[in-house]
Amino acid sequence: MKLADTVAPIRPATAAFDVDALAPHLPTTRRRLRTGQHLYRAGQAFHALYFVHAGFLRTSLVADDGREQVTGFPMRGDLVGCDAIGAGAHIGDAIALDTCEIVELAYPAVLDACRGVPALHGMLAEAMGAELRRDRARLLALATLSAEQRVAWFLRGLARRQRALGYSAHHLCLRMSRVDIGNYLALKHETVTRALSHLDADGVIAVERREVRIPCVERLDAAAGAGAAVASRAA
Amino acid sequence: MKLADTVAPIRPATAAFDVDALAPHLPTTRRRLRTGQHLYRAGQAFHALYFVHAGFLRTSLVADDGREQVTGFPMRGDLVGCDAIGAGAHIGDAIALDTCEIVELAYPAVLDACRGVPALHGMLAEAMGAELRRDRARLLALATLSAEQRVAWFLRGLARRQRALGYSAHHLCLRMSRVDIGNYLALKHETVTRALSHLDADGVIAVERREVRIPCVERLDAAAGAGAAVASRAA
DNA sequence: CGTGCGATTGAAGTCCCTCAAGACGTGTGG
DNA sequence: CCACACGTCTTGAGGGACTTCAATCGCACG
């Protein structure tokens, strides 16, 4: 239950899921996705939550008129599909940006399993609470930060998540396009490019296509401006 | 369990809570708040969820550097405080904009109560799922709508929630200031005023200080632009 | 009756968007 | 293997939407 740790790194809650321990209480099925394949689509019946065991995805909300809003980039340790609970159907798409290995947790069967595994109940609630906090931290970032600060904030978030999984925080490989990043941050792709170029020119990062090196994390924190303080607590 | 209804009006999930039925399984305490009083503050220990029985609040996320982001305006039937689950402490303030009557649901005791009241478990999960959907619909609105569309979208959301509670959708009494609305919509208060004035000039609404009349809801939907379609499904 | 906060309106400025062109990298077919 | 086509990324110039700064008005409060 390291979830209760307020100052834990990004996405601690979902990363704490021990899917294997569930096996005796809940029939879990595994799925493998290739780059570009959909985990689910908007409108599809909701019948399971998805735990990302490996890979990298992009989730989005799709409006009736076709407008799309990227809602996140789940990676290993994240729980996907919570926003469909109570809606009956998925409200957006989830697409693999990489080869993915997914564990399916049938819903609402997973709720029944909570009785057999008491800790699961709290973990599920905490995973959703963490997701709410992330959404709101993002709202704060979009509402208060400039374009360049948002991009820095985004990169820093990715770096922290990587570090939390045991990888280096000094090198990122962006699996998503500039358009995806822009959509996620409420910016146009040209603006994302410009911000990256400018951060590069300032020596904060080194960008080469989708490879990003971060020599000094503190400088990136500073570039994320006033947002630096929040995300470490709320994300 | 009308919660499963996909096309239900705004905030059906939380409104479906039957708090009284919980009494035998969970010790609930009632609190009364006067205008301006805090239900909780950022940093305070998290030990309960709050069900709004009457009144109108404003919730916000508070950053370490003091920046504040309004996250919502809970009213009767809403569940408040879910975003603290797993964090140990509240990440923002909740302040009464009106005389409020609140029912406190101790956490994590409420999780244990789920065993005695099976339906509660699903309802809790669905309330949080609905909150996630609302946050993301708002993200979509902020990312894709113009200032005037956002304000129209905001008013329409309030009108729908009132209607869902049995009140008229043609007359609103805004309990929050222009600054609060602006913060919520990622706009400056002057821009909010200008948008309201313009909607008034167009005859879509009639604004007088904090009183808003909506003669034709369809015209307001149209003014919310492309956002009209989404919110009815995702909000 | 004065004080103060909230709301409104105007004018100037800034940031990001829009439109446009070019460069880079990749995959495909000849 | 090369040529071509396509998508992605990059960079520039101009314009528009919102912000910023500033002044005034209105209402509630002491």
Side-chain angles (χ1 to χ4, degrees):
Chain A
M1 278 295 207
K2 32 188 171 181
L3 314 179
D5 192 350
T6 310
V7 290
I10 283 192
R11 308 218 169 182
T14 51
F17 266 115
D18 185 358
V19 177
D20 297 323
L22 287 180
H25 302 87
L26 177 72
T28 62
T29 65
R30 289 173 185 272
R31 280 173 65 177
R32 199 178 296 265
L33 292 175
R34 298 216 170 277
T35 305
Q37 284 187 317
H38 284 260
L39 178 57
Y40 55 76
R41 290 171 188 271
Q44 256 180 26
F46 165 65
H47 59 80
L49 300 174
Y50 303 95
F51 178 80
V52 183
H53 193 263
F56 204 84
L57 323 200
R58 180 191 72 209
T59 56
S60 62
L61 187 164
V62 178
D64 296 351
D65 55 19
R67 285 178 310 140
E68 192 166 4
Q69 173 66 35
V70 174
T71 55
F73 299 102
M75 55 195 286
R76 181 181 141 208
D78 289 332
L79 196 61
V80 179
C82 291
D83 56 5
I85 294 178
H90 288 287
I91 61 172
D93 296 346
I95 189 171
L97 296 180
D98 199 357
T99 303
C100 290
E101 202 165 329
I102 309 290
V103 179
E104 230 180 272
L105 309 174
Y107 189 97
V110 67
L111 294 186
D112 301 329
C114 287
R115 267 162 235 156
V117 190
L120 174 64
H121 196 164
M123 274 165 46
L124 207 62
E126 288 171 17
M128 291 185 73
E131 202 152 341
L132 277 172
R133 284 193 294 282
R134 254 176 274 128
D135 276 6
R136 285 166 188 185
R138 183 169 149 219
L139 237 358
L140 176 66
L142 298 199
T144 61
L145 301 183
S146 70
E148 189 173 322
Q149 287 175 319
R150 283 183 224 178
V151 173
W153 175 86
F154 172 73
L155 293 178
R156 198 195 43 159
L158 280 182
R160 291 196 177 180
R161 289 168 66 191
Q162 281 208 1
R163 194 185 51 194
L165 292 177
Y167 302 112
S168 167
H170 295 283
H171 179 267
L172 296 178
C173 178
L174 304 177
R175 304 300 213 297
M176 71 296 287
S177 71
R178 303 286 192 265
V179 174
D180 288 336
I181 299 174
N183 188 308
Y184 182 76
L185 296 175
L187 298 171
K188 295 300 160 187
H189 67 93
E190 297 98 323
T191 307
V192 174
T193 289
R194 273 185 254 269
L196 287 171
S197 299
H198 194 247
L199 288 170
D200 186 310
D202 282 0
V204 179
I205 57 176
V207 185
E208 190 171 346
R209 202 157 170 72
R210 293 195 176 180
E211 304 286 328
V212 178
R213 287 195 309 106
I214 306 170
C216 176
V217 178
E218 284 73 23
R219 292 200 60 189
L220 189 58
D221 285 347
V230 177
S232 64
R233 206 193 55 204
Chain B
M1 276 294 211
K2 32 187 173 182
L3 314 180
D5 193 349
T6 310
V7 292
I10 284 192
R11 308 213 171 186
T14 51
F17 266 116
D18 185 359
V19 177
D20 297 324
L22 286 180
H25 301 89
L26 178 71
T28 62
T29 64
R30 290 172 185 273
R31 280 174 65 178
R32 199 178 297 265
L33 293 176
R34 298 218 169 276
T35 305
Q37 285 188 315
H38 284 260
L39 177 57
Y40 55 75
R41 289 171 189 272
Q44 255 181 24
F46 166 65
H47 58 79
L49 299 176
Y50 303 96
F51 179 80
V52 183
H53 194 264
F56 204 85
L57 324 198
R58 179 190 72 209
T59 56
S60 63
L61 187 164
V62 179
D64 296 349
D65 55 19
R67 286 177 311 140
E68 191 166 5
Q69 174 66 36
V70 174
T71 55
F73 299 101
M75 54 195 287
R76 182 181 139 207
D78 290 331
L79 196 62
V80 180
C82 291
D83 55 6
I85 296 178
H90 288 287
I91 61 171
D93 296 346
I95 189 170
L97 297 180
D98 198 357
T99 302
C100 290
E101 201 165 329
I102 309 289
V103 180
E104 230 179 274
L105 309 174
Y107 189 98
V110 67
L111 293 186
D112 300 330
C114 288
R115 269 162 234 156
V117 190
L120 173 64
H121 196 166
M123 274 164 45
L124 206 61
E126 289 172 15
M128 292 185 73
E131 202 152 342
L132 278 172
R133 285 193 292 283
R134 252 174 276 129
D135 275 6
R136 284 165 189 189
R138 183 169 148 218
L139 236 0
L140 177 65
L142 297 198
T144 62
L145 301 183
S146 70
E148 190 173 321
Q149 287 175 320
R150 283 183 224 177
V151 173
W153 175 86
F154 172 73
L155 293 177
R156 200 197 41 162
L158 280 183
R160 290 194 177 182
R161 290 168 66 191
Q162 281 208 0
R163 195 185 51 196
L165 292 178
Y167 302 112
S168 168
H170 296 281
H171 179 267
L172 295 177
C173 179
L174 304 177
R175 303 299 215 297
M176 72 294 287
S177 71
R178 301 288 192 264
V179 173
D180 288 337
I181 299 174
N183 188 308
Y184 182 76
L185 295 174
L187 297 170
K188 296 299 160 188
H189 67 94
E190 298 97 324
T191 308
V192 174
T193 290
R194 273 185 253 271
L196 287 171
S197 299
H198 194 248
L199 288 169
D200 186 309
D202 282 359
V204 179
I205 57 175
V207 185
E208 190 171 346
R209 201 157 172 75
R210 294 196 177 183
E211 303 286 328
V212 178
R213 287 194 308 106
I214 306 171
C216 175
V217 178
E218 284 73 23
R219 292 200 61 190
L220 188 59
D221 286 346
V230 178
S232 63
R233 206 194 58 205

